[in-house]
Amino acid sequence: MSVASLRRAAKESVSGLPRDFWWLWTSTLVNRLGAFVATFMALYLTLERGYSATYAGLVAALHGLGGVVSSIGGGVLTDRLGRRPTLLIAQTSTAGSVALLGFMEHPVAIAGAAFLVGMASNASRPAVQAMMADIVRPEDRVRAFSLNYWAINLGFAVSSAGAGFIASYSYRAGFLIEAAMTLACAIVVYVKLPESRPEKNTSEAGGEPEVGLGTVVRDGRFMGVVGLSFLVALIFQQGSVGLPVAMGHAGFTPADYGMAIAVNGVLIVALQIPVTRFIEHRDPQRLLVVSSIVAGYGFGLTAFAGSVGAFALTVCVWTLAEIVNAPTQTGLVVRLSPTHGRGRYQGMYTLSWAVAGLVAPLMSGAVIDRFGPEWLWGGCAVIGTVAAAGYWGLMRKLPEEEAGVVEAGVVEAAVEEAAVEEAPVGASAASAASAASAASAVELSA
């Protein structure tokens, strides 16, 4: 591909998105640039403090439990209180709790502070996802989510590489740097981002139906997506939970792990946008099935790794699965979420990752201590196979227009959403139809 083609592709990838999106994107990038704690927490507890892998898994599980508690609460606050206030509360609380964790000495105090960090940090996710869906046009949402995911992993690549070296100097410095950068995110939100929560339509008799948690739970189709998301998340969590512990047991240093896992962020930064453009017209059922299998067996290959280079190669394999799975699954979740219930639906979706964050550390720590890391990586392969079978069955049961297989059905849904809900006031019918046609192309990619 020529330089001119690369420039044109880059311009098309970033053009047309609203200013508020880019401030939210900047907040995400700053947050991930400072995300040191998640990267070296397991190493901090096992190498610096001398605790067992089981205890490290327990602390990480409490961090995940905090996320479980706040996922639903953050979603409800996002719908009731608003996106912006929820973000401000969550990010300032995260900054304070991360700084507190850096000064804890007693095992019980460390575990309690980790729980607070998990609860505070996870509360912002439903608000971010809902705000992004609010401020970006339907035809641009998949691209926007891909760019946001790109920012997450750009920050992760930098912070992962830096975390090992910072840990070699001072673990506490890593805690304080993350706290400061999370506080900077809150400042960006306060200064630059207005509230984006849509106003309910009360012009018609009875108004719009209320969306409660019961509505979400009774949505069997959406809950199926949540369950499969949990299985996939259980696999990907091992990159920050099982992998560092296994490498530590094998005699590798924090810097070795940091360099190996940084490959994940680097590949996503390099490939996320072009791969998203490549898969946009592919069958989402096949994308979800294949990505689940590749993720599971990518981690399964870790059992055969014996050098930093070999570990990095396994990271390459499951990262390719992550690149395909993320925009495909996110597009499906957004499409199944009603406008005025986005916070609760996103909260339930976030819950799947939070529960995985609770279960994965317990699973990895116990398996590594009792049976060895090879059994953990074999289990990942099994879980990936189960998830692939689940996606295959779920997508078969979805109506064709929602599965994104039959173009006519998607076009009809996209026309209605773009022309009725998202078309600017005063826009012509032709403009609305044009926007809806673009939306249909993107929705097919989800």
Side-chain angles (χ1 to χ4, degrees):
M1 182 179 290
S2 66
V3 175
S5 298
L6 289 174
R7 288 179 179 175
R8 183 169 60 254
K11 184 177 180 180
E12 291 174 355
S13 297
V14 301
S15 63
L17 295 170
R19 181 183 179 186
D20 289 345
F21 165 79
W22 289 111
W23 283 117
L24 187 59
W25 183 90
T26 300
S27 175
T28 297
L29 178 61
V30 172
N31 190 13
R32 295 306 299 176
L33 284 171
F36 300 111
V37 174
T39 303
F40 62 61
M41 174 59 81
L43 296 173
Y44 169 69
L45 294 175
T46 56
L47 299 183
E48 176 77 2
R49 293 291 183 181
Y51 295 116
S52 67
T54 300
Y55 175 77
L58 174 63
V59 172
L62 287 172
H63 181 278
L65 179 61
V68 170
V69 172
S70 65
S71 293
I72 300 300
V76 173
L77 286 178
T78 296
D79 283 339
R80 289 188 176 180
L81 191 62
R83 282 64 159 143
R84 185 171 179 265
T86 302
L87 280 174
L88 290 172
I89 293 171
Q91 290 176 344
T92 54
S93 299
T94 301
S97 57
V98 167
L100 179 67
L101 179 59
F103 289 94
M104 294 296 100
E105 300 284 345
H106 193 277
V108 176
I110 291 173
F115 173 80
L116 294 177
V117 171
M119 187 165 60
S121 61
N122 212 54
S124 64
R125 294 182 181 179
V128 169
Q129 300 293 330
M131 178 175 278
M132 198 166 296
D134 294 339
I135 63 181
V136 175
R137 296 176 301 178
E139 62 266 31
D140 293 329
R141 283 178 186 157
V142 170
R143 180 160 58 97
F145 280 117
S146 292
L147 286 169
N148 190 65
Y149 196 66
W150 185 84
I152 289 172
N153 286 279
L154 174 61
F156 180 70
V158 175
S159 65
S160 295
F165 296 104
I166 291 174
S168 299
Y169 169 72
S170 170
Y171 280 98
R172 182 169 293 171
F175 288 99
L176 296 179
I177 290 172
E178 176 164 346
M181 297 191 77
T182 305
L183 186 60
C185 295
I187 294 173
V188 170
V189 171
Y190 179 77
V191 174
K192 295 295 184 179
L193 284 174
E195 178 56 56
S196 67
R197 181 176 54 175
E199 294 294 333
K200 287 190 176 182
N201 181 13
T202 58
S203 59
E204 298 181 5
E208 296 183 1
E210 291 290 333
V211 177
L213 290 177
T215 308
V216 183
V217 174
R218 289 190 297 270
D219 190 339
R221 188 178 304 151
F222 181 79
M223 292 304 296
V225 173
V226 170
L228 294 173
S229 171
F230 164 75
L231 294 180
V232 173
L234 199 63
I235 298 172
F236 286 126
Q237 286 282 345
Q238 300 307 322
S240 59
V241 178
L243 185 59
V245 174
M247 289 185 70
H249 274 215
F252 294 95
T253 67
D256 292 332
Y257 166 70
M259 294 304 296
I261 196 62
V263 173
N264 172 259
V266 170
L267 279 182
I268 292 176
V269 169
L271 300 179
Q272 183 69 62
I273 301 304
V275 169
T276 298
R277 292 168 65 88
F278 175 76
I279 66 176
E280 62 182 358
H281 297 300
R282 309 291 173 177
D283 182 0
Q285 180 191 48
R286 293 181 181 179
L287 294 175
L288 291 171
V289 168
V290 172
S291 63
S292 299
I293 291 175
V294 173
Y297 284 88
F299 274 97
L301 290 173
T302 310
F304 304 99
S307 66
V308 175
F311 279 111
L313 285 175
T314 65
V315 172
C316 290
V317 175
W318 56 259
T319 296
L320 292 175
E322 186 179 357
I323 290 171
V324 173
N325 184 273
T328 306
Q329 183 162 257
T330 301
L332 180 62
V333 168
V334 171
R335 189 164 63 247
L336 294 178
S337 304
T339 301
H340 296 287
R342 280 174 182 157
R344 289 175 173 85
Y345 270 73
Q346 292 293 342
M348 187 63 71
Y349 174 60
T350 301
L351 180 65
S352 67
W353 284 84
V355 174
L358 171 64
V359 175
L362 295 174
M363 179 183 76
S364 61
V367 170
I368 289 174
D369 279 346
R370 294 184 181 182
F371 306 106
E374 294 81 8
W375 283 86
L376 175 64
W377 308 130
C380 287
V382 173
I383 294 171
T385 304
V386 172
Y391 278 120
W392 180 78
L394 175 68
M395 299 298 282
R396 286 185 63 206
K397 294 178 181 178
L398 286 176
E400 290 184 336
E401 64 270 19
E402 293 196 6
V405 178
V406 177
E407 183 173 0
V410 179
V411 169
E412 181 180 353
V415 166
E416 180 180 357
E417 183 177 10
V420 176
E421 295 184 1
E422 302 291 344
V425 177
S428 66
S431 298
S434 175
S437 296
S440 69
V442 176
E443 290 296 337
L444 280 169
S445 72

